[in-house]
Amino acid sequence: MNDTIAAISTSLGIGAISIIRVSGPDTVNIVNKIFSKDLTNIKSHTVNYGYIKDNDKIIDEVILTVMLSPKSFTTEDTIEINSHGGIATTNKILELLLLNGCRLAKPGEFTERAFLNGRIDLEEAEGVMNLIEAKTDISRDLAINQLTGKVSNLIKELRDDLVQVLANINVNIDYPEYDDVEDITLPLLKEKISLIKKKITKILEESNNGKIIKEGITTSIIGKPNVGKSSLLNNLLEEDKAIVTDIEGTTRDIVEGTINIDGILLNIIDTAGIRETDNIVEKIGVDKSLELIDKSDLVLFLLNNNEKISNEELELLEKIKNKNHIILINKNDLERNIDDKNLENPIYISTKTNEGIDELKHRIKEIFNLEKLEKSDLTYLTSARSIAILKEVANKINEIEQSINNNATIDMLELDIKYIWEKLGEIIGETYDEEFLDELFSRFCLGK
């Protein structure tokens, strides 16, 4: 990090302003070469008006925001050039910066430098990207809690609890003559580990809420051909996204759309009608539909009100019984021939009249507890990386409890507890490797 980096931080295109960000030890000297005023003795946290120049030629009228080390996002000297929007002007300013000593920043490198310089931890860094990608008010609030360190504090508290246990164990082993230090026995250790386990379990349970807020609810609409799946998708989206005809097998590939229910995104997928078919293209669509059932957070299973349930539909009911699902009986305006006695709390709908759509939305809110979710404090882990590490820690905690029951020695248990402390450190970046950092920050925007 001894060099100075630059990148465009706003989307390229026609607009009122563009922002070109520069960070590194030589920031002021490099920008000074192309700015119309002397920046040699510039004060931090000032806004400066002037021109970007290529020798004597004026390129643009700009405003510079100067933030000197250590009081900047990266903790390095940082200057943000606010220029007029436009591809030609923005690229020219970046070109001048590169010609005068800057290196083009890699994706996410500004945030990576903020992490490496101790300005933020890994959870806060991921919060930056989540804030950029937030599509709802709730997902924005969740990202803010990550960015401001509330989520990191959950992990830090766990590590502090473990440090207390480790400290007591070490004192007991190294200084057994100390009477004023709590004597760590196996029953007492089991009690302390049990309290830590409860905290980890709670965090993991609530992490499902974080996933829903961040990614939305993946919802697949399934059923046999011509039962009204595409019409249901169109009704939920309030637009004609999917083609609707009376011809069976019209939908052969998945059709997707998104709606917002109480601030949570419902990512809806209209699947191909599931039936036995000799048509190669349709069969591919049917196979995709069956795969999507396993990947979905919620399955909407559509049945026909004026037809008896087929054997294929009975097989699908068996396949989805352990998943979040809602059974919908369509064509409520036709004569009822379906036997619904063994169906689990079905909703009768009509895709022609929109009957039952409000009840469907209410049921979804109940299944995922969305009304309570909206009022919660939104302090959740959201990344698959963090959740996977915490699950590994939870498994290790179970092993420690088993070892205590088997009367393992305290010094052997100390090694397992220290391992857990180190694994938790990976979540917030207390421990990491370079390859992991490169992979993580490569997902970020170029100028972030």
Side-chain angles (χ1 to χ4, degrees):
M1 294 194 298
N2 294 323
D3 55 356
T4 300
I5 57 174
I8 300 166
S9 293
T10 47
S11 299
L12 276 176
I14 298 173
I17 62 169
S18 289
I19 298 175
I20 302 95
R21 177 180 283 177
V22 187
S23 182
D26 209 24
T27 292
V28 175
N29 289 334
I30 291 173
V31 177
N32 196 47
K33 295 176 184 178
I34 64 171
F35 192 54
S36 59
K37 296 180 180 178
D38 184 18
L39 300 174
T40 305
N41 297 311
I42 196 72
K43 291 184 178 180
S44 184
H45 292 75
T46 58
V47 176
N48 305 269
Y49 167 79
Y51 297 93
I52 295 294
K53 301 180 71 175
D54 182 5
N55 295 319
D56 294 328
K57 182 180 180 181
I58 292 177
I59 301 301
D60 194 18
E61 180 184 32
V62 301
I63 289 176
L64 302 186
T65 305
V66 179
M67 294 158 283
L68 300 181
S69 175
K71 295 183 177 181
S72 71
F73 178 62
T74 61
T75 77
E76 303 170 331
D77 287 350
T78 301
I79 291 179
E80 292 184 351
I81 303 172
N82 292 255
S83 69
H84 288 95
I87 295 173
T89 300
T90 308
N91 279 337
K92 184 61 179 179
I93 295 172
L94 179 61
E95 177 189 327
L96 290 173
L97 290 168
L98 299 179
L99 288 173
N100 281 280
C102 284
R103 170 176 62 78
L104 183 64
K106 298 179 294 185
E109 190 169 0
F110 292 96
T111 308
E112 183 177 5
R113 288 189 175 204
F115 165 70
L116 292 172
N117 290 329
R119 171 69 172 73
I120 57 175
D121 63 35
L122 277 189
E123 270 299 312
E124 291 166 341
E126 290 182 355
V128 172
M129 182 50 64
N130 288 341
L131 186 59
I132 292 170
E133 295 177 343
K135 296 177 182 177
T136 66
D137 288 344
I138 297 178
S139 58
R140 182 202 62 223
D141 292 342
L142 177 66
I144 287 293
N145 281 350
Q146 275 187 287
L147 186 57
T148 55
K150 287 187 177 180
V151 178
S152 299
N153 287 340
L154 294 176
I155 305 303
K156 289 175 182 176
E157 287 172 9
L158 287 173
R159 296 187 90 221
D160 287 344
D161 291 341
L162 290 166
V163 164
Q164 284 293 109
V165 174
L166 288 168
N168 278 16
I169 290 174
N170 277 286
V171 170
N172 287 170
I173 293 173
D174 297 335
Y175 305 99
E177 68 275 13
Y178 280 21
D179 296 329
D180 57 345
V181 177
E182 188 176 33
D183 188 22
I184 297 292
T185 61
L186 285 179
L188 182 58
L189 181 59
K190 185 174 182 179
E191 181 183 328
K192 290 180 178 294
I193 289 297
S194 178
L195 291 173
I196 294 170
K197 180 181 178 179
K198 285 180 181 178
K199 291 183 180 181
I200 291 172
T201 301
K202 183 174 185 289
I203 295 171
L204 280 173
E205 287 174 351
E206 292 181 343
S207 68
N208 292 326
N209 294 337
K211 178 180 179 295
I212 288 171
I213 293 169
K214 180 184 173 185
E215 301 174 8
I217 302 168
T218 301
T219 306
S220 57
I221 305 174
I222 67 168
K224 66 183 183 180
N226 209 27
V227 76
K229 299 184 298 299
S230 297
S231 296
L232 176 61
L233 175 69
N234 290 342
N235 286 0
L236 289 169
L237 298 180
E238 298 182 358
E239 63 172 297
D240 293 333
K241 186 75 177 279
I243 298 172
V244 177
T245 74
D246 293 331
I247 303 170
E248 291 187 352
T250 299
T251 304
R252 298 191 175 190
D253 201 353
I254 61 173
V255 181
E256 301 179 66
T258 301
I259 63 170
N260 186 322
I261 298 181
D262 284 359
I264 303 298
L265 295 180
L266 203 67
N267 304 311
I268 312 171
I269 305 168
D270 173 26
T271 66
I274 298 174
R275 65 169 178 175
E276 291 291 333
T277 177
D278 294 327
N279 185 293
I280 295 175
V281 176
E282 187 180 356
K283 188 176 187 307
I284 293 171
V286 171
D287 290 341
K288 279 186 178 180
S289 299
L290 293 171
E291 290 175 10
L292 279 168
I293 292 175
D294 296 327
K295 298 177 181 178
S296 297
D297 301 312
L298 173 66
V299 175
L300 305 181
F301 186 22
L302 220 57
L303 297 169
N304 198 332
N305 177 53
N306 69 334
E307 293 181 359
K308 295 186 182 299
I309 299 175
S310 67
N311 289 331
E312 287 175 339
E313 289 171 324
L314 288 173
E315 289 175 6
L316 285 173
L317 283 168
E318 182 67 21
K319 184 176 177 64
I320 67 172
K321 69 178 183 180
N322 294 322
K323 292 190 67 70
N324 289 322
H325 68 274
I326 301 173
I327 297 172
L328 303 170
I329 301 177
N330 190 27
K331 305 183 181 180
N332 198 26
D333 52 319
L334 301 179
E335 181 184 353
R336 181 173 299 183
N337 289 315
I338 192 171
D339 183 2
D340 64 358
K341 283 187 293 186
N342 296 319
L343 297 178
E344 182 186 354
N345 203 13
I347 299 174
Y348 279 85
I349 68 169
S350 171
T351 53
K352 280 188 176 181
T353 64
N354 258 354
E355 180 186 347
I357 299 300
D358 287 341
E359 186 180 352
L360 168 59
K361 291 179 179 179
H362 181 73
R363 182 78 61 82
I364 293 169
K365 288 161 68 173
E366 284 183 340
I367 290 174
F368 292 95
N369 209 11
L370 298 187
E371 290 179 350
K372 182 179 178 181
L373 184 63
E374 189 176 6
K375 299 172 185 176
S376 63
D377 65 359
L378 302 177
T379 309
Y380 308 133
L381 292 177
T382 60
S383 75
R385 176 192 71 88
S386 300
I387 293 169
I389 292 172
L390 199 58
K391 284 182 177 179
E392 182 183 345
V393 166
N395 291 334
K396 197 68 176 177
I397 287 280
N398 290 334
E399 291 178 15
I400 290 174
E401 286 186 323
Q402 187 61 45
S403 297
I404 292 173
N405 292 335
N406 293 333
N407 294 315
T409 60
I410 294 288
D411 54 342
M412 291 300 296
L413 293 170
E414 179 195 8
L415 296 175
D416 289 334
I417 295 169
K418 188 175 182 182
Y419 173 81
I420 289 173
W421 180 80
E422 290 173 347
K423 290 301 293 185
L424 289 171
E426 291 180 17
I427 294 178
I428 55 177
E430 290 292 328
T431 54
Y432 62 88
D433 60 58
E434 295 296 332
E435 184 179 350
F436 163 71
L437 285 189
D438 290 343
E439 193 277 330
L440 174 67
F441 288 105
S442 67
R443 305 174 193 170
F444 282 54
C445 308
L446 185 62
K448 191 61 187 171

